[in-house]
Amino acid sequence: MTLVDDARACWRWWSVRMAALAGVVAGALVAQPQILTGLVAYVPEPWRPAASALAGLVVFAAPTMARLIQQGSKANGQSA
């Protein structure tokens, strides 16, 4: 396994920030599962399969797209 060239700046990447947010949300849902059941109650029954598929797609696609997009320059001033 080899780290990327700019691994020291990983805290600046949106994909890492989104992963941190997902971890916080997952921790909150494990600590208080009634939050999730309350949110699911707002989604009409016929829409739940589509809503769950969309949620899974967003959780996967958002950090993936954020990692693929150019996110500024490297710390030494050269373009990424």
Side-chain angles (χ1 to χ4, degrees):
M1 178 174 79
T2 304
L3 295 177
V4 294
D5 293 336
D6 54 347
R8 290 179 186 234
C10 70
W11 61 273
R12 296 181 188 179
W13 301 338
W14 282 103
S15 57
V16 173
R17 292 175 182 177
M18 288 181 188
L21 178 62
V24 168
V25 169
L29 291 177
V30 168
Q32 297 181 349
Q34 67 272 16
I35 295 171
L36 184 59
T37 56
L39 289 173
V40 170
Y42 283 109
V43 180
E45 184 72 35
W47 294 6
R48 288 185 185 162
S52 65
L54 180 62
L57 182 63
V58 167
V59 168
F60 167 74
T64 302
M65 294 303 297
R67 186 62 188 118
L68 295 175
I69 295 171
Q70 185 71 275
Q71 297 182 33
S73 61
K74 291 184 180 179
N76 63 4
Q78 297 176 352
S79 62

